[in-house]
Amino acid sequence: MLVLKRFMSWSIAIVCILAFGGLAHAAPGQPVPWQLGLQESATPVMDDIILFHTGLLIAITLISAFVLVLLVVVMVRFNAAKNPTPSRTTHNTLIEVAWTIVPVLILVAIAIPSFRILFDQLTVPPADLTVKATGKQWFWTYAYPDNGAFEFDSIMLQDKELKAGQPRLLAVDNELVVPVNKVVRVLTTGADVIHSFTVPSFGIKIDAIPGRINETWFQAKREGTYYGQCSELCGKDHSFMPIAVRVVSEQEFSAWLNQAKQKYARDDGATRQVAAVDRYAK
Ligand SMILES: [Cu+2]
């Protein structure tokens, strides 16, 4: 019995660490070494996802513990030594109805919040800003269709280019800049193969498919830089096309926009693509 008690207390401790430990240690916008759990939320949708995840973890743990207890009871009380003449019972209508109905009710109870989050993710509220992310082998190109015709490439920084505080394999030369507390509609497409635009802190993950436009949205509640990665195996440098979103105040955003319009207007697509390919050749 002592062993069982110890096992139970260890299990509870591990579940608590899994459920809450990650949240306690997560740095905003990026993963940290030894992190457990999800990245810290920066949007209302991600708040819901974390709540749902934690609730689900508790439900799963209770169900697994219940099944474990049943198995242990069977092993202890009904083994051949303790119970040499087994019962010949084959049916019990009440139990059979219960073990069909109860799991159905549990699944329905899980499905309702799950579908609500899915609808929230894919129903774009009236947007304050639209950005377009085009996945390319192997970088992202960002455009601001309601703010002029400019677009720019966002390419991962090599180790030697990193400045203090910039995370390796996640920092880029040109971040996607958006204003805080505004609804940003994200349009995604692919230029060559299927990529996937993912930012964990925002709770968004949407495929970028050649020949079609997908859309999702986010509303970042805090300023800061939030990182994500392409999440669809898209070729040899799939792991080297990170997504960096810098959330700034409205004034900073307008200043950035004015400067970006001039800076990137001069850029022509062909030159940029050659530059991007060159980087990888080095
Ligand atoms: Cu990709």
Side-chain angles (χ1 to χ4, degrees):
M1 238 18 215
L2 184 69
V3 176
L4 187 66
K5 265 189 190 165
R6 274 203 189 144
F7 176 75
M8 289 301 279
S9 51
W10 270 103
S11 311
I12 291 168
I14 288 168
V15 166
C16 288
I17 291 169
L18 283 175
F20 306 110
L23 301 179
H25 300 295
Q30 57 180 285
V32 290
W34 296 97
Q35 177 183 334
L36 290 167
L38 303 169
Q39 287 184 33
E40 194 180 307
S41 164
T43 63
V45 167
M46 191 57 191
D47 287 346
D48 289 349
I49 292 176
I50 290 180
L51 211 62
F52 181 61
H53 165 81
T54 310
L56 213 52
L57 191 64
I58 292 169
I60 290 167
T61 309
L62 292 177
I63 293 168
S64 306
F66 175 66
V67 174
L68 181 70
V69 167
L70 289 184
L71 287 174
V72 171
V73 168
V74 169
M75 286 189 293
V76 173
R77 284 184 53 186
F78 299 101
N79 61 43
K82 286 234 176 109
N83 190 44
T85 344
S87 148
R88 300 228 163 234
T89 311
T90 53
H91 286 287
N92 183 311
T93 313
L94 182 70
I95 291 179
E96 283 165 21
V97 170
W99 77 40
T100 309
I101 302 283
V102 172
V104 169
L105 292 179
I106 294 172
L107 289 179
V108 170
I110 289 172
I112 291 169
S114 169
F115 282 125
R116 198 175 57 79
I117 293 174
L118 271 177
F119 285 126
D120 273 358
Q121 284 178 313
L122 295 173
T123 315
V124 184
D128 299 305
L129 174 73
T130 301
V131 297
K132 183 179 164 206
T134 307
K136 297 180 177 171
Q137 283 178 322
W138 288 274
F139 57 96
W140 293 91
T141 295
Y142 298 124
Y144 292 67
D146 39 8
N147 284 285
F150 74 93
E151 60 170 31
F152 59 90
D153 296 337
S154 182
I155 294 163
M156 189 188 82
L157 294 181
Q158 301 298 317
D159 287 2
K160 56 180 182 301
E161 298 169 311
L162 290 174
K163 294 194 200 88
Q166 284 188 312
R168 187 175 161 267
L169 301 180
L170 289 175
V172 299
D173 56 354
N174 298 311
E175 291 142 346
L176 176 68
V177 180
V178 296
V180 70
N181 285 325
K182 297 283 181 194
V183 174
V184 180
R185 183 205 343 246
V186 184
L187 306 177
T188 62
T189 188
D192 32 44
V193 297
I194 302 177
H195 302 268
S196 178
F197 189 84
T198 306
V199 183
S201 297
F202 294 169
I204 58 174
K205 174 177 279 185
I206 189 131
D207 276 0
I209 302 170
R212 63 175 282 182
I213 298 266
N214 275 346
E215 68 172 359
T216 186
W217 68 284
F218 66 85
Q219 184 178 23
K221 296 177 298 184
R222 279 187 305 278
E223 293 177 28
T225 308
Y226 300 89
Y227 296 97
Q229 288 172 306
C230 175
S231 299
E232 185 69 69
L233 276 173
C234 61
K236 110 179 145 59
D237 285 330
H238 158 67
S239 13
F240 306 113
M241 51 179 295
I243 295 150
V245 185
R246 184 149 53 89
V247 180
V248 296
S249 68
E250 225 180 315
Q251 296 86 328
E252 274 177 86
F253 177 71
S254 355
W256 174 84
L257 198 61
N258 285 333
Q259 168 243 309
K261 277 179 192 168
Q262 290 164 16
K263 182 173 169 196
Y264 299 121
R266 288 193 300 273
D267 255 359
D268 92 44
T271 335
R272 295 201 326 267
Q273 296 234 0
V274 170
V277 170
D278 257 14
R279 276 173 96 93
Y280 283 114
K282 273 173 204 162

